[in-house]
Amino acid sequence: DADVTQTPRNRITKTGKRIMLECSQTKGHDRMYWYRQDPGLGLQLIYYSFDVKDINKGEISDGYSVSRQAQAKFSLSLESAIPNQTALYFCATSDLSGTGENIQYFGAGTRLSVL
Amino acid sequence: LAKTTQPISMDSYEGQEVNITCSHNNIATNDYITWYQQFPSQGPRFIIQGYKTKVTNEVASLFIPADRKSSTLSLPRVSLSDTAVYYCLVGERRTNAGKSTFGDGTTLTVKP
Protein backbone atom coordinates (compact mmCIF):
# COMPACT_ATOMS: atom_id res chain seq x y z
CA ASP A 1 0.00 0.00 0.00
CA ALA A 2 1.58 3.27 -1.11
CA ASP A 3 0.23 5.00 1.99
CA VAL A 4 2.75 3.05 4.08
CA THR A 5 6.31 3.71 2.94
CA GLN A 6 9.33 1.76 4.05
CA THR A 7 12.92 2.81 3.50
CA PRO A 8 15.23 1.40 2.38
CA ARG A 9 13.66 -1.32 0.24
CA ASN A 10 16.84 -3.36 0.27
CA ARG A 11 19.85 -3.25 2.55
CA ILE A 12 23.00 -5.28 2.91
CA THR A 13 25.04 -4.78 6.03
CA LYS A 14 27.76 -6.49 8.01
CA THR A 15 27.64 -8.25 11.34
CA GLY A 16 27.90 -5.83 14.24
CA LYS A 17 26.70 -2.78 12.35
CA ARG A 18 23.85 -0.62 13.58
CA ILE A 19 21.04 -0.25 11.13
CA MET A 20 17.73 1.58 11.10
CA LEU A 21 14.68 0.78 9.04
CA GLU A 22 12.16 3.54 8.65
CA CYS A 23 8.44 3.55 8.15
CA SER A 24 6.15 6.47 7.44
CA GLN A 25 2.43 6.54 6.79
CA THR A 26 -0.06 9.01 5.40
CA LYS A 27 -3.16 7.11 6.50
CA GLY A 28 -3.49 9.03 9.75
CA HIS A 29 -3.55 5.81 11.76
CA ASP A 30 -2.60 5.68 15.40
CA ARG A 31 -1.35 2.11 15.45
CA MET A 32 1.89 0.99 13.84
CA TYR A 33 3.67 -2.36 13.78
CA TRP A 34 6.94 -3.99 12.78
CA TYR A 35 7.00 -7.59 11.57
CA ARG A 36 9.70 -9.90 10.41
CA GLN A 37 9.23 -12.67 7.84
CA ASP A 38 11.69 -15.48 7.20
CA PRO A 39 11.55 -17.39 3.90
CA GLY A 40 8.54 -19.69 3.65
CA LEU A 41 7.22 -18.69 7.05
CA GLY A 42 4.58 -16.38 8.41
CA LEU A 43 5.03 -12.95 9.94
CA GLN A 44 6.32 -12.53 13.47
CA LEU A 45 5.49 -9.39 15.42
CA ILE A 46 8.56 -7.50 16.67
CA TYR A 47 7.08 -4.34 18.22
CA TYR A 48 3.85 -2.44 18.06
CA SER A 49 2.73 1.02 19.06
CA PHE A 50 -0.84 2.14 19.71
CA ASP A 51 0.14 5.81 19.83
CA VAL A 52 3.23 7.97 20.16
CA LYS A 53 3.56 7.31 23.89
CA ASP A 54 2.70 3.64 23.79
CA ILE A 55 5.23 1.05 22.59
CA ASN A 56 4.99 -2.67 23.25
CA LYS A 57 7.14 -5.70 22.64
CA GLY A 58 5.88 -8.38 20.31
CA GLU A 59 6.85 -12.03 19.99
CA ILE A 60 10.49 -11.52 18.99
CA SER A 61 11.75 -8.16 20.30
CA ASP A 62 15.21 -9.30 21.44
CA GLY A 63 17.94 -7.63 19.40
CA TYR A 64 15.59 -4.89 18.15
CA SER A 65 14.50 -1.49 19.35
CA VAL A 66 11.97 1.01 18.02
CA SER A 67 11.23 4.68 18.08
CA ARG A 68 7.88 6.33 17.44
CA GLN A 69 8.98 9.80 16.42
CA ALA A 70 5.52 11.01 15.47
CA GLN A 71 2.13 9.57 14.69
CA ALA A 72 3.28 9.01 11.13
CA LYS A 73 6.76 7.61 11.78
CA PHE A 74 7.91 4.37 13.38
CA SER A 75 11.53 3.24 13.09
CA LEU A 76 13.07 -0.15 13.78
CA SER A 77 16.72 -0.40 14.83
CA LEU A 78 19.11 -3.29 14.99
CA GLU A 79 21.80 -2.11 17.38
CA SER A 80 24.30 -4.78 16.41
CA ALA A 81 23.12 -6.76 13.42
CA ILE A 82 23.69 -10.52 13.26
CA PRO A 83 23.26 -12.91 10.32
CA ASN A 84 20.09 -14.56 11.68
CA GLN A 85 18.37 -11.17 11.45
CA THR A 86 18.49 -11.56 7.69
CA ALA A 87 14.83 -11.41 6.72
CA LEU A 88 12.05 -9.43 5.09
CA TYR A 89 10.74 -6.71 7.40
CA PHE A 90 7.28 -5.22 7.14
CA CYS A 91 5.77 -2.16 8.70
CA ALA A 92 2.01 -1.97 9.11
CA THR A 93 -0.56 0.49 10.37
CA SER A 94 -4.10 0.14 11.59
CA ASP A 95 -6.88 2.13 13.10
CA LEU A 96 -10.33 1.37 14.32
CA SER A 97 -12.78 2.10 11.56
CA GLY A 98 -16.33 3.10 12.26
CA THR A 99 -17.20 -0.56 12.36
CA GLY A 100 -14.14 -1.36 14.51
CA GLU A 101 -12.43 -3.68 12.06
CA ASN A 102 -8.79 -2.88 12.98
CA ILE A 103 -7.51 -3.83 9.53
CA GLN A 104 -3.74 -3.74 9.11
CA TYR A 105 -2.22 -2.04 6.06
CA PHE A 106 1.28 -3.11 5.13
CA GLY A 107 4.22 -1.44 3.47
CA ALA A 108 6.13 -3.03 0.59
CA GLY A 109 8.80 -4.42 2.91
CA THR A 110 12.53 -4.05 3.46
CA ARG A 111 14.75 -6.93 2.50
CA LEU A 112 17.70 -7.00 4.91
CA SER A 113 20.79 -9.13 4.52
CA VAL A 114 23.36 -9.32 7.30
CA LEU A 115 26.66 -10.75 6.18
CA LEU B 1 -4.07 -16.42 22.59
CA ALA B 2 -6.05 -18.35 20.00
CA LYS B 3 -3.88 -20.68 17.92
CA THR B 4 -4.89 -21.28 14.33
CA THR B 5 -4.28 -24.30 12.13
CA GLN B 6 -4.48 -24.16 8.34
CA PRO B 7 -3.45 -26.56 5.57
CA ILE B 8 0.07 -25.84 4.42
CA SER B 9 -0.83 -25.85 0.74
CA MET B 10 -3.67 -26.29 -1.73
CA ASP B 11 -3.88 -26.61 -5.49
CA SER B 12 -6.74 -25.55 -7.71
CA TYR B 13 -7.56 -24.77 -11.32
CA GLU B 14 -8.75 -21.59 -12.90
CA GLY B 15 -12.48 -21.07 -12.63
CA GLN B 16 -12.95 -23.32 -9.62
CA GLU B 17 -14.20 -22.30 -6.20
CA VAL B 18 -11.58 -22.66 -3.47
CA ASN B 19 -12.35 -23.19 0.19
CA ILE B 20 -9.60 -22.81 2.79
CA THR B 21 -10.46 -23.89 6.31
CA CYS B 22 -8.86 -22.58 9.48
CA SER B 23 -9.22 -24.28 12.87
CA HIS B 24 -9.23 -22.15 16.01
CA ASN B 25 -10.52 -24.37 18.79
CA ASN B 26 -9.74 -21.99 21.65
CA ILE B 27 -11.26 -18.87 20.13
CA ALA B 28 -12.43 -16.42 22.79
CA THR B 29 -15.81 -14.75 23.01
CA ASN B 30 -14.49 -11.35 21.87
CA ASP B 31 -12.26 -12.71 19.10
CA TYR B 32 -12.85 -11.95 15.44
CA ILE B 33 -11.54 -13.93 12.48
CA THR B 34 -9.57 -12.08 9.81
CA TRP B 35 -8.04 -13.33 6.57
CA TYR B 36 -5.14 -11.77 4.69
CA GLN B 37 -3.60 -12.52 1.30
CA GLN B 38 0.11 -12.20 0.57
CA PHE B 39 1.87 -12.27 -2.79
CA PRO B 40 5.62 -13.01 -2.94
CA SER B 41 7.77 -10.15 -1.63
CA GLN B 42 4.73 -8.03 -0.82
CA GLY B 43 3.03 -7.18 2.44
CA PRO B 44 -0.18 -8.99 3.36
CA ARG B 45 -3.45 -7.48 2.23
CA PHE B 46 -6.75 -7.65 4.10
CA ILE B 47 -9.41 -9.85 2.51
CA ILE B 48 -12.28 -10.26 4.94
CA GLN B 49 -13.23 -10.29 8.61
CA GLY B 50 -16.11 -11.85 10.50
CA TYR B 51 -17.46 -12.84 13.88
CA LYS B 52 -20.16 -15.41 13.14
CA THR B 53 -22.36 -16.85 10.38
CA LYS B 54 -21.46 -15.59 6.93
CA VAL B 55 -19.74 -12.50 5.62
CA THR B 56 -19.38 -11.65 1.94
CA ASN B 57 -17.58 -8.90 0.10
CA GLU B 58 -16.55 -8.32 -3.50
CA VAL B 59 -13.54 -10.61 -3.13
CA ALA B 60 -14.52 -13.54 -0.91
CA SER B 61 -16.94 -15.09 1.54
CA LEU B 62 -16.24 -16.16 5.08
CA PHE B 63 -18.27 -18.94 6.66
CA ILE B 64 -18.22 -19.34 10.43
CA PRO B 65 -20.22 -22.12 12.12
CA ALA B 66 -22.16 -21.56 15.31
CA ASP B 67 -19.42 -22.94 17.59
CA ARG B 68 -16.85 -20.65 15.88
CA LYS B 69 -14.10 -23.24 16.30
CA SER B 70 -13.30 -23.05 12.62
CA SER B 71 -13.86 -20.79 9.64
CA THR B 72 -13.75 -21.21 5.88
CA LEU B 73 -12.54 -18.66 3.39
CA SER B 74 -14.25 -19.15 0.05
CA LEU B 75 -12.80 -17.70 -3.16
CA PRO B 76 -15.22 -17.94 -6.08
CA ARG B 77 -13.91 -18.77 -9.54
CA VAL B 78 -10.19 -18.36 -8.86
CA SER B 79 -7.75 -17.13 -11.47
CA LEU B 80 -3.98 -17.48 -11.79
CA SER B 81 -3.60 -14.15 -9.99
CA ASP B 82 -5.13 -15.65 -6.85
CA THR B 83 -1.98 -17.72 -6.36
CA ALA B 84 -0.75 -16.46 -3.00
CA VAL B 85 -0.40 -17.29 0.69
CA TYR B 86 -3.56 -16.91 2.75
CA TYR B 87 -3.41 -16.25 6.48
CA CYS B 88 -6.10 -16.73 9.08
CA LEU B 89 -5.85 -14.60 12.20
CA VAL B 90 -7.93 -14.72 15.35
CA GLY B 91 -7.87 -11.87 17.82
CA GLU B 92 -9.85 -9.38 19.79
CA ARG B 93 -10.64 -6.56 17.41
CA ARG B 94 -9.87 -3.51 19.49
CA THR B 95 -6.57 -4.79 20.87
CA ASN B 96 -5.67 -7.09 18.04
CA ALA B 97 -1.97 -6.35 17.97
CA GLY B 98 0.12 -8.66 20.05
CA LYS B 99 -2.77 -11.00 20.63
CA SER B 100 -2.99 -12.66 17.25
CA THR B 101 -0.33 -14.15 15.03
CA PHE B 102 -0.08 -14.81 11.33
CA GLY B 103 1.07 -18.41 11.47
CA ASP B 104 2.56 -19.95 8.33
CA GLY B 105 -0.56 -19.60 6.19
CA THR B 106 -1.89 -21.68 3.30
CA THR B 107 -0.09 -21.50 -0.03
CA LEU B 108 -2.70 -21.62 -2.78
CA THR B 109 -1.49 -22.48 -6.26
CA VAL B 110 -3.93 -21.92 -9.10
CA LYS B 111 -3.14 -23.82 -12.28
CA PRO B 112 -4.32 -23.11 -15.82
Side-chain angles (χ1 to χ4, degrees):
Chain A
D1 193 312
D3 297 326
V4 182
T5 303
Q6 293 184 232
T7 55
R9 292 294 314 280
N10 294 279
R11 180 72 183 267
I12 300 173
T13 191
K14 294 182 178 180
T15 298
K17 293 291 186 180
R18 183 180 187 275
I19 183 170
M20 178 181 289
L21 309 183
E22 300 188 355
C23 178
S24 63
Q25 52 113 348
T26 59
K27 299 187 79 69
H29 289 170
D30 287 327
R31 301 180 174 191
M32 297 188 74
Y33 313 78
W34 275 104
Y35 289 91
R36 148 183 190 152
Q37 185 172 37
D38 295 306
L41 300 179
L43 282 74
Q44 295 175 284
L45 183 63
I46 306 173
Y47 272 95
Y48 61 102
S49 170
F50 280 3
D51 63 40
V52 175
K53 298 181 181 179
D54 178 75
I55 292 177
N56 305 278
K57 293 182 177 180
E59 307 167 73
I60 55 162
S61 59
D62 288 348
Y64 301 94
S65 63
V66 291
S67 173
R68 185 80 184 266
Q69 301 94 324
Q71 185 203 37
K73 296 184 182 295
F74 193 35
S75 300
L76 176 71
S77 294
L78 288 68
E79 296 300 326
S80 180
I82 56 177
N84 75 2
Q85 291 178 313
T86 293
L88 188 55
Y89 290 84
F90 289 104
C91 173
T93 73
S94 75
D95 204 357
L96 292 180
S97 67
T99 57
E101 289 184 324
N102 193 25
I103 299 166
Q104 295 189 42
Y105 297 87
F106 286 80
T110 293
R111 187 171 299 279
L112 175 66
S113 295
V114 183
L115 304 179
Chain B
L1 178 63
K3 176 179 169 57
T4 61
T5 303
Q6 305 174 230
I8 294 174
S9 63
M10 295 181 67
D11 290 342
S12 184
Y13 291 93
E14 284 190 292
Q16 290 188 334
E17 178 184 74
V18 171
N19 296 308
I20 306 175
T21 297
C22 179
S23 297
H24 28 80
N25 291 320
N26 59 341
I27 188 170
T29 302
N30 293 329
D31 286 345
Y32 280 73
I33 301 151
T34 309
W35 285 80
Y36 286 82
Q37 174 192 57
Q38 185 182 26
F39 297 113
S41 298
Q42 294 185 24
R45 182 178 68 175
F46 171 82
I47 300 175
I48 198 165
Q49 184 179 83
Y51 183 79
K52 61 180 178 180
T53 63
K54 176 183 175 182
V55 179
T56 298
N57 61 22
E58 63 277 7
V59 176
S61 295
L62 179 59
F63 298 92
I64 306 169
D67 66 6
R68 304 199 327 120
K69 293 184 182 299
S70 66
S71 59
T72 299
L73 174 72
S74 181
L75 305 173
R77 299 184 59 79
V78 294
S79 64
L80 296 176
S81 63
D82 292 315
T83 293
V85 180
Y86 292 82
Y87 296 98
C88 164
L89 277 73
V90 173
E92 196 270 315
R93 218 159 46 166
R94 290 192 169 270
T95 60
N96 204 37
K99 293 188 177 182
S100 60
T101 59
F102 274 79
D104 291 339
T106 296
T107 299
L108 172 65
T109 302
V110 180
K111 303 175 181 178

